């Protein structure tokens, strides 16, 4: 394959030109690197390298002014805005920067296309006045200010551009306009022959400069357009070159170089639909693996990323067979892990909070760059601090609280969480201190942290630039403004890859591919909204005004991408066009129109493939643990200590949970309880009732007793909330609602007691929170002691009948405490866990000799209090007409004991494993 650059050099040599004495101007710096390489290959003699410039460098050299960064430009423009603004309260820099960036882009376009400034700004002003025209004679102050803004555009532009020119500075458009004015002087002082190559779309200033050089000097220009596109009057890939050939005076007397005929040569084009972005990266990896089997050197292979955010996934997908590669684009600084730390710090301090939300604090403490800083004498203080926050339910923390919790790291805590006081200077000082702390730590193990040190240095540079801007202009009036400018700088910064730019596989963006040719081309993200980018209206200049003044619209921008896309295909032999099959409004919709256009042209056969990621479906096996002698020993110890009713129902629900919690003693993860959990609410209600009723054990309740409790509800509930919820805040939000619910539950229960007593019921409190430990169960098959234990919420005597009562803060209905077949009692957790627990309490009390038959046992549900005492009941059948019995007799206890013994024997049966049950439903 002969590349475009080779063809140009061969032509120049055939003309007998001395290549060293030429000045080459190309669309990009990247193309210049390849031009140098080709020059070295094309000459047999030692020579001086010619001057090679990108078009931007060339135009800047003509203009005599220096390019200014976009961020610096914004600050300079704000100076102009303040100088010319007569409003009593001009926009703050934060507000200004949101609209000024759009206006600066418009200034840039107006200058690049050499539009008369007075005409277009007057035109825009007139349009706005027409839009706001009304038969009303009075104009509001808002409309006056709005129109005044448009009337001042020319004044803003004139003052700003003159200020920049006075300081020999400029943005791209201003530099182009100035270069166009200085081109005659430049030509007079330079006799070097200029060679322009590889251009397509040119702005008016570029056209004017290049045409002047072509007509008044011996300059030459080489286009790269294919006959297929150039001769088709409606093909966008040839749109600009057709216009240049038609309208430039130079081509009336000189040949148009070149129109090639490479596109129709034989090509293998595969169009591959892949779901999601990551799958595209993985598929590119598989293509490279296949190519590497036949080609050891991939210098003639290029990956062109339509969506440059795919860079990292693609790099991670490069197979081991690819030994060398070159990445032309830098790695975005915003994607580096350290960026997330500074983003977290900005979010933490941005609104000048008096206290910090615990999740924000934990995200910083657990960050990969911060956690190692909290290790002292092999002790992880960050983990300790996080556990303290979680254990004590600390939802909001002050910097003083954090200092008190982590005294050994006073300096680090101050740097991270010391208040920024909504002061940009203070923020920058703290951030720089943090960077030096990070550097000191990373320097201790330089070899392990080479990349991290590079990251830290780049952020050090970035924050130094922010500090310079703050010192120079002093426009950062808040942390929010600083954050906004930080993000603006961060988005444009990259970490450049180091390596040999001409060796191995080439990975580049669409614009870096200009002028370059490859035999094998892999193009990713060929979707609408990406290739081409589609409509975007980031401008104050309306569409019709752009048409009137020949400014580029989205149609011309689409044509630019069309040219780049087809140019990649011109000389290529193998093409892989990859698109995302999953439509997404944010990251690209349907397959690109370019794919449809290739089909309609019918010049090359397209091989359509839909690729799916090879995701192995792992068979989901439920866990199973056998009962080894060691497990049996642990179970024996557990039996001797006493099985609780809840542990036995845990075994019924899922034996694997029982194994983890009781055998392995794996505790549940302790999270911060932001809102009061159900078990905390239950604990508060239980403890409050215990405080009220415990002193009355052995006595009959009176109305006076219960009424006395009502006056203490608020104080007692608050006490137990603070005790159970630790440092959690219950003064606002859902927690306040939970606090009120707890008071309401207790109040409603006490009201129901008053109602019963006033109706003449006799209630005697026998026991409150009766604690039974190691109640023995005689099981002949087990030659070791087995016991159960637990707490009974309340035992009372109601009109002579003993009742065992279990409190539930959740909703319980009568049918949940009924059974028909005793054999079902230990097999269905959802249906029979509540009757099982109730009967456990009855069994413990009976075995302990604490009660007489007959008796009743049941539940009082605070959420369903109107149904009163829900008694355990046996039924002879389901449905209507069933005979129910709610009295618990000695026979009932014996029937339950059989089921209890069977359940415990099952737990100790070595032939029965701890099998996991699917309880996800």
């Amino acid at each position: 394959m002969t590349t475009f650059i080779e063809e140009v050099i061969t032509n120049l040599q055939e003309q007998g030109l001395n290549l060293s004495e030429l000045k080459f101007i190309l669309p990009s710096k990247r193309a210049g690197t390849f031009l140098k390489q080709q020059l070295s290959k094309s000459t047999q003699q030692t020579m001086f390298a010619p001057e090679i410039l990108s078009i931007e460098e060339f135009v800047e050299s003509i203009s005599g002014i220096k390019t200014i960064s976009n961020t610096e430009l914004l600050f300079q423009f704000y100076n102009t805005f303040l100088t010319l603004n007569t409003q009593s309260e001009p926009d703050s820099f934060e507000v200004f920067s949101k609209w000024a960036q759009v206006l600066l882009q418009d200034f840039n376009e107006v200058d690049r296309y050499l539009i008369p400034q007075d005409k277009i700004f007057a035109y825009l002003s007139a349009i706005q006045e027409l839009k706001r025209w009304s038969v009303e004679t009075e104009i509001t102050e808002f409309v006056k200010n709005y129109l005044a803004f448009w009337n001042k555009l020319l004044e803003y532009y004139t003052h700003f551009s003159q200020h920049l020119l006075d300081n020999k500075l400029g943005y791209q458009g201003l530099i182009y306009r100035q270069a166009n004015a200085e081109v005659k002087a430049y030509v007079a002082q330079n006799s070097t022959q200029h060679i322009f190559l590889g251009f397509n779309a040119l702005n008016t200033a570029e056209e004017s400069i290049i045409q002047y050089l072509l007509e008044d000097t011996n300059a030459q220009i080489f286009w790269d357009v294919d006959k297929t596109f150039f001769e088709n009057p409606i093909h966008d890939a040839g749109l600009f070159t057709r216009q240049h050939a038609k309208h430039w005076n130079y081509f009336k007397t000189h040949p148009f170089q070149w129109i090639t005929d490479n596109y129709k040569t034989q090509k293998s084009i595969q169009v591959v639909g892949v779901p999601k972005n990551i799958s595209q990266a993985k598929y590119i990896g598989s293509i490279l693996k296949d190519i590497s089997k036949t080609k050891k050197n991939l210098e003639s292979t290029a990956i062109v990323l339509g969506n440059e955010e795919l860079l990292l996934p693609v790099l991670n997908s490069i197979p081991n067979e690819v030994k060398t590669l070159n990445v032309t684009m830098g790695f975005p600084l915003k994607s580096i892990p350290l960026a997330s730390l500074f983003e977290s710090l900005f979010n933490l301090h941005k609104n000048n909070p008096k206290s910090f939300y615990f999740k924000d604090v934990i995200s910083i403490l657990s960050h990969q760059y911060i956690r190692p800083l909290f290790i002292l004498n092999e002790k992880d203080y960050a983990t300790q601090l996080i556990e303290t926050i979680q254990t004590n339910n600390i939802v909001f923390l002050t910097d003083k609280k954090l200092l008190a919790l982590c005294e050994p790291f006073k300096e680090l805590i101050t740097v991270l969480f010391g208040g920024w006081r909504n002061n940009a200077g203070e923020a920058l000082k703290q951030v720089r201190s943090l960077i030096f702390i990070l550097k000191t730590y990373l320097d201790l193990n330089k070899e392990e942290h080479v990349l991290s040190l590079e990251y830290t240095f780049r952020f050090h540079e970035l924050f130094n630039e922010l500090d310079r801007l703050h010192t120079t202009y002093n426009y950062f009036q808040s942390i929010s403004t600083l954050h906004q400018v930080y993000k603006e700088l961060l988005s444009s910064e990259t970490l450049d890859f180091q390596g040999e730019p001409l060796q191995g596989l080439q990975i580049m963006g669409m614009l870096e591919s200009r002028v370059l040719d490859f035999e094998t081309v892999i193009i990713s993200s060929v979707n609408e909204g990406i290739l081409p980018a589609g409509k975007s209206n980031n401008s104050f200049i309306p569409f019709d005004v752009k048409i009137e003044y020949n400014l580029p619209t989205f149609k011309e921008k689409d044509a630019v991408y069309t040219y780049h896309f087809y140019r990649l295909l011109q000389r290529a032999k193998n093409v892989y066009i990859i698109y995302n099959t999953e439509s997404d409004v944010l990251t690209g919709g349907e397959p690109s129109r370019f794919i449809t256009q290739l089909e309609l042209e019918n010049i090359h056969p397209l091989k359509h493939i839909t690729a799916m990621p090879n995701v192995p479906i792992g068979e989901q096996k439920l866990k199973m643990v056998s009962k080894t002698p060691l497990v049996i020993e642990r179970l024996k110890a557990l039996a001797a200590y006493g099985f609780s009713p809840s542990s036995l129902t845990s075994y019924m629900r899922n034996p694997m949970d029982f194994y983890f919690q009781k055998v392995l003693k794996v505790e549940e993860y302790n999270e911060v309880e932001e809102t009061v959990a159900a078990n905390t609410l239950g604990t508060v209600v239980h403890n409050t009732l215990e405080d009220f009723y415990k002193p009355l054990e052995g006595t009959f309740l009176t109305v006076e007793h219960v009424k006395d409790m009502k006056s203490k509800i608020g104080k007692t509930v608050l006490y137990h909330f603070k005790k159970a919820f630790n440092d959690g805040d219950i003064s606002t939000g859902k927690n306040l609602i939970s606090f009120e619910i707890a008071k309401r539950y207790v109040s409603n229960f006490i009201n129901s007691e008053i109602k019963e007593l006033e109706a003449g019921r006799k209630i005697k409190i026998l026991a409150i929170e009766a604690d039974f430990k190691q109640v023995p169960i005689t099981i002949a098959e087990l030659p070791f002691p087995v016991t159960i234990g637990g707490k009974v919420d309340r035992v009372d005597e109601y009109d002579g009948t003993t009742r065992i009562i279990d409190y539930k803060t959740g909703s319980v209905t009568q049918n949940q405490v009924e059974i028909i077949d005793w054999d079902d009692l230990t097999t269905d957790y959802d249906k029979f866990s509540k009757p099982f627990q109730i009967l456990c309490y009855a069994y413990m009390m009976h075995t302990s000799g604490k009660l007489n038959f007959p008796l009743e046992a049941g539940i009082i549900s605070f959420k369903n209090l109107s149904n009163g005492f829900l008694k355990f009941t046996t039924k002879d059948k389901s449905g209507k007409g069933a005979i129910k019995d709610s009295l618990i007799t000695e026979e009932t206890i014996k029937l339950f004991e059989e089921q209890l013994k069977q359940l415990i024997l099952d737990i100790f049966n070595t032939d029965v494993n701890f099998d996991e049950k699917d309880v996800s439903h």
Side-chain angles (χ1 to χ4, degrees):
M1 179 191 75
T2 304
T3 68
F4 169 66
I5 291 176
E6 281 182 76
E7 291 173 351
V8 171
I9 292 172
T10 302
N11 181 276
L12 294 172
Q13 287 174 327
E14 289 172 353
Q15 292 180 43
L17 297 174
N18 185 341
L19 299 179
S20 294
E21 295 176 354
L22 302 177
K23 182 179 286 190
F24 290 89
I25 295 95
L26 299 99
S28 68
K29 288 182 181 180
R30 180 72 189 150
T33 306
F34 277 80
L35 176 60
K36 280 182 184 176
Q37 182 202 31
Q38 192 57 49
L39 283 168
S40 68
K41 289 181 179 179
S42 300
T43 182
Q44 302 300 318
Q45 298 175 340
T46 303
M47 61 177 279
F48 285 105
E51 190 174 358
I52 301 173
L53 300 172
S54 69
I55 185 67
E56 287 85 3
E57 291 170 329
F58 175 62
V59 172
E60 187 174 313
S61 69
I62 296 174
S63 70
I65 57 178
K66 190 177 178 182
T67 304
I68 187 173
S69 72
N70 289 337
T71 308
E72 183 87 25
L73 199 66
L74 202 59
F75 283 86
Q76 295 273 11
F77 188 33
Y78 193 53
N79 279 339
T80 291
F81 174 73
L82 292 177
T83 303
L84 300 180
N85 201 286
T86 56
Q87 295 178 20
S88 55
E89 291 186 15
D91 288 348
S92 66
F93 182 78
E94 185 175 4
V95 173
F96 164 84
S97 62
K98 291 173 182 175
W99 59 261
Q101 292 187 57
V102 178
L103 188 56
L104 286 172
Q105 288 177 24
D106 288 340
F107 286 174
N108 190 51
E109 288 291 272
V110 167
D111 281 336
R112 287 170 72 234
Y113 285 84
L114 304 180
I115 308 297
Q117 305 95 321
D118 53 346
K119 288 185 179 180
I120 191 167
F121 293 132
Y123 198 111
L124 288 173
S125 180
I127 287 173
Q128 296 304 323
E129 287 190 15
L130 278 172
K131 282 183 179 179
R132 298 291 173 268
W133 181 84
S134 170
V135 292
E136 297 288 336
T137 54
E138 288 293 325
I139 300 177
T140 65
E141 193 65 28
F142 177 82
V143 172
K144 280 181 183 177
N145 290 335
Y146 181 79
L147 293 175
F149 167 78
W150 289 98
N151 289 328
K152 274 196 169 184
L153 287 184
L154 179 59
E155 195 178 349
Y156 285 145
Y157 171 85
T158 305
H159 184 282
F160 179 52
S161 57
Q162 191 56 53
H163 167 74
L164 291 175
L165 290 172
D166 290 344
N167 289 279
K168 297 291 183 182
L169 299 171
Y171 50 87
Q172 189 191 65
L174 188 60
I175 290 170
Y176 273 58
R177 190 185 282 274
Q178 188 69 11
N180 184 62
E182 297 290 336
V183 68
K184 288 183 182 179
Y186 170 81
V187 169
Q189 295 171 7
N190 288 271
S191 58
T192 309
Q193 185 174 357
H194 296 74
I195 308 296
F196 297 90
L197 64 152
F199 288 95
N200 172 45
L202 297 167
N203 58 54
T204 307
E206 288 170 336
E207 285 193 55
S208 177
I209 292 167
I210 293 172
Q211 286 187 74
Y212 185 85
L213 285 162
L214 291 173
E215 292 172 14
D216 285 61
T217 71
N218 57 351
Q220 295 186 52
I221 187 165
F222 295 88
W223 309 94
D224 186 18
V225 64
D226 198 89
K227 179 180 177 183
T228 307
F229 318 135
F230 188 82
E231 294 180 353
N232 184 341
I234 61 170
H235 203 298
D236 275 356
L239 174 67
F240 297 105
T241 45
R242 284 194 302 270
Q243 290 175 355
H244 302 327
K246 182 179 179 181
H247 298 296
W248 286 19
N249 289 330
Y250 177 77
F251 295 120
K252 291 176 182 177
T253 55
H254 293 79
F256 189 89
Q257 299 183 115
W258 288 308
I259 302 168
T260 60
D261 195 10
N262 295 309
Y263 181 66
K264 288 186 178 179
T265 57
Q266 187 175 356
K267 302 178 192 302
S268 167
I269 302 179
Q270 291 187 26
V271 180
V272 187
V274 186
K276 298 295 182 183
N277 287 334
I278 298 301
S279 296
Q280 289 187 72
K282 297 297 180 187
Y283 190 78
I284 288 170
S286 68
I287 293 172
L288 294 173
K289 194 167 188 177
D290 291 339
I291 295 173
S292 299
K293 291 176 183 176
T294 55
K295 284 187 179 182
K296 290 185 179 179
N297 193 330
L298 296 180
E299 283 182 8
S300 60
T301 301
I303 298 171
V304 180
L305 302 178
N307 178 4
E308 295 188 8
E309 290 183 6
L310 275 184
L311 176 59
L312 192 58
V314 166
L315 289 175
N316 284 323
S317 302
I318 301 291
N320 294 329
E321 289 83 349
V322 178
K323 301 300 181 186
T324 56
L325 59 90
N326 177 55
V327 183
T328 65
M329 64 190 83
F331 187 71
L333 211 59
K334 63 182 180 181
S335 301
I336 287 169
L338 196 54
S340 64
L341 170 62
F342 294 114
E343 187 64 23
S344 295
L345 283 170
F346 271 112
N347 289 331
L348 185 80
H349 292 284
K350 192 158 58 172
N351 297 316
N352 195 28
K354 293 180 180 177
S355 57
F356 307 123
Y357 183 48
F358 81 98
K359 285 186 178 177
D360 294 335
V361 172
I362 289 175
S363 74
I364 291 170
L365 292 174
S366 56
H367 194 278
Q368 66 192 76
Y369 280 94
I370 296 299
R371 195 157 204 153
L373 304 179
F374 279 92
I375 295 175
L376 182 65
N377 299 326
E378 297 185 358
K379 185 176 180 181
D380 188 346
Y381 282 85
T383 300
Q384 181 179 302
L385 184 52
I386 291 168
E387 286 175 354
T388 302
I389 292 169
Q390 291 168 338
T391 305
N392 293 287
N393 288 330
I394 308 174
V395 180
F396 291 97
L397 302 98
T398 62
D399 54 339
K400 290 180 181 177
K401 179 80 172 177
L402 286 162
L403 281 170
L405 292 172
C406 203
E407 186 64 32
F409 294 91
K410 185 176 180 180
E411 182 189 356
L412 183 56
I413 290 290
T414 302
V415 167
L416 290 171
F417 302 106
W420 288 3
R421 303 194 303 275
N422 208 24
N423 183 293
E426 183 67 24
L428 290 167
K429 177 185 170 185
Q430 297 283 50
V431 169
R432 287 200 307 276
S433 297
L434 176 60
I435 287 172
F436 280 114
I437 290 171
L438 282 169
K439 180 185 178 297
T440 304
Y441 167 75
L442 296 171
D443 273 337
L444 295 174
N445 297 289
K446 273 188 178 180
E447 292 181 3
E448 293 178 29
H449 301 298
V450 173
L451 203 54
S452 293
L453 278 165
E454 180 66 24
Y455 294 162
T456 308
F457 175 70
R458 290 307 306 276
F459 276 94
H460 173 65
E461 287 184 316
L462 190 149
F463 282 106
N464 275 350
E465 175 63 9
L466 284 170
D467 190 48
R468 184 190 70 78
L469 291 169
H470 179 58
T471 305
T472 306
Y473 299 100
N474 195 28
Y475 291 153
F476 297 143
Q477 299 303 316
S478 66
I479 299 301
S480 180
T481 310
L482 177 65
H483 187 207
Q484 186 174 316
V485 178
Y486 160 78
K487 287 193 291 185
E488 183 72 25
L489 277 175
L490 185 67
S491 65
S492 60
E493 291 292 321
T494 57
L495 190 68
D496 294 331
F497 292 93
Q498 294 183 351
E500 174 51 56
L502 300 168
Q503 286 187 2
L505 173 72
Q506 300 290 322
I507 302 176
M508 59 185 65
M510 184 60 79
L511 294 179
E512 280 90 19
S513 71
R514 289 176 292 183
V515 187
L516 309 181
D517 297 295
F518 301 94
E519 281 189 6
T520 302
V521 178
I522 303 166
I523 312 174
S524 74
S525 304
V526 187
N527 286 80
E528 283 296 311
I530 300 175
L531 286 177
K535 293 183 182 180
S536 61
N537 192 31
N538 196 20
S539 171
F540 286 129
I541 304 174
F543 183 82
D544 55 337
V545 178
K546 289 188 174 185
I547 297 293
E548 174 70 20
Y549 285 94
N550 293 318
L551 285 169
T553 65
F554 66 87
K555 295 173 75 174
E556 283 73 29
K557 289 174 184 174
D558 282 358
V560 170
Y561 278 96
T562 305
Y563 173 80
H564 293 326
F565 176 80
Y566 275 95
R567 213 205 140 273
L568 280 168
L569 273 56
Q570 267 181 225
R571 295 176 180 81
K573 294 179 181 177
N574 302 294
V575 180
Y576 299 87
I577 298 170
I578 305 172
Y579 67 92
N580 183 358
T581 58
E582 304 299 305
S583 294
D584 190 324
V585 177
L586 296 176
T587 58
E590 61 193 25
S592 172
R593 71 190 76 167
F594 294 159
I595 296 172
T596 308
Q597 194 167 334
L598 287 171
E599 290 173 340
L600 293 173
E601 288 170 354
N602 201 26
I603 294 171
H604 300 288
L606 304 183
K607 184 180 179 182
H608 286 273
I609 299 171
T610 301
M612 299 297 292
N614 182 18
V615 181
I617 301 173
E619 186 181 347
Q620 286 195 339
K621 291 183 178 180
L622 296 174
K623 297 184 187 74
M624 181 271 293
V625 176
S626 59
K627 292 170 185 172
T628 63
L630 194 61
V631 170
I632 294 297
E633 286 304 311
R634 176 73 193 107
L635 289 172
K636 286 179 181 178
L638 192 60
Y641 178 79
F643 290 113
S644 66
S646 61
S647 67
L648 294 172
T649 54
S650 172
Y651 180 83
M652 289 162 52
R653 181 178 183 271
N654 188 0
M656 192 57 66
D657 287 345
F658 175 87
Y659 172 74
F660 283 130
Q661 294 167 9
K662 300 301 176 183
V663 179
L664 297 184
K665 295 186 177 180
V666 176
E667 295 182 3
E668 289 187 10
Y669 177 65
N670 190 18
E671 290 189 88
V672 172
E673 209 175 302
E674 285 186 73
T675 55
V676 178
N679 59 344
T680 303
L681 183 65
T683 301
V684 170
V685 173
H686 277 66
N687 290 345
T688 300
L689 292 177
E690 181 182 3
D691 279 3
F692 288 163
Y693 285 92
K694 190 73 174 175
L696 300 175
E697 282 182 335
T699 62
F700 282 94
L701 281 181
T702 65
V703 173
E704 287 72 24
H705 283 144
V706 185
K707 283 185 176 179
D708 182 55
M709 297 174 190
K710 287 197 73 173
S711 62
K712 302 174 184 175
I713 292 174
K715 183 180 178 182
T716 311
V717 169
L718 179 61
Y719 168 78
H720 285 295
F721 249 117
K722 287 184 175 179
K723 191 175 178 182
F725 201 45
N726 297 319
D727 290 337
D729 181 18
I730 59 168
S731 61
T732 59
K734 292 181 180 179
N735 292 342
L736 178 59
I737 294 171
S738 296
F739 173 65
E740 294 298 330
I741 287 171
K743 290 200 297 182
R744 181 65 59 86
Y745 279 170
V746 175
S747 178
N748 288 347
F749 177 73
I750 289 173
N751 286 338
S752 69
E753 294 271 76
I754 292 172
K755 193 174 179 181
E756 295 275 359
L757 292 168
E758 288 178 342
R761 303 297 184 191
K762 291 184 178 181
I763 302 173
K764 183 181 181 181
I765 302 298
L766 300 179
I768 295 294
E769 295 295 328
D771 194 2
F772 293 91
K773 294 179 180 177
Q774 298 178 324
V775 176
I777 306 173
T778 304
I779 303 176
E781 295 87 343
L782 299 178
F784 48 82
V786 177
T787 63
I788 63 171
K791 278 188 178 183
V792 182
D793 290 338
R794 169 167 160 167
V795 183
D796 67 15
E797 192 179 278
Y798 184 85
D799 285 347
T801 303
T802 302
R803 300 188 305 179
I804 298 172
I805 300 171
D806 188 31
Y807 297 140
K808 298 289 183 188
T809 48
S811 180
V812 183
T813 56
Q814 179 60 46
N815 63 356
Q816 290 178 284
V817 289
E818 297 176 344
I819 66 165
I820 299 171
D821 188 345
W822 282 94
D823 290 334
D824 293 335
L825 187 64
T826 58
T827 59
D828 193 329
Y829 170 86
D830 292 329
K831 287 184 179 179
F832 303 115
S833 61
K834 291 178 179 65
F836 182 87
Q837 280 190 307
I838 295 166
L839 291 170
C840 269
Y841 297 141
Y843 179 82
M844 286 188 293
M845 293 195 72
H846 168 67
T847 306
S848 301
K850 296 289 180 70
L851 52 76
N852 298 312
F853 297 108
L855 59 91
E856 294 174 342
I859 290 170
I860 289 179
S861 167
F862 293 104
K863 209 168 187 177
N864 193 19
L865 200 59
S866 59
N867 287 348
F869 180 54
L870 305 173
K871 302 174 185 178
F872 165 76
T873 304
T874 58
K875 300 193 297 184
D876 64 337
K877 63 176 183 177
S878 60
K880 293 182 179 180
I883 299 172
K884 298 183 178 183
D885 185 7
S886 59
L887 285 177
I888 294 176
T889 62
E890 195 162 355
E891 179 64 22
T892 309
I893 295 297
K894 284 182 179 178
L895 289 169
F896 170 73
E897 187 178 36
E898 288 177 18
Q899 298 301 320
L900 178 62
K901 288 180 178 180
Q902 188 56 50
L903 179 65
I904 293 171
L905 284 171
D906 193 55
I907 291 172
F908 280 96
N909 189 347
T910 54
D911 294 330
V912 178
N913 297 317
F914 287 116
D915 291 322
E916 183 179 18
K917 289 183 182 178
D918 184 5
V919 293
S920 56
H921 62 282

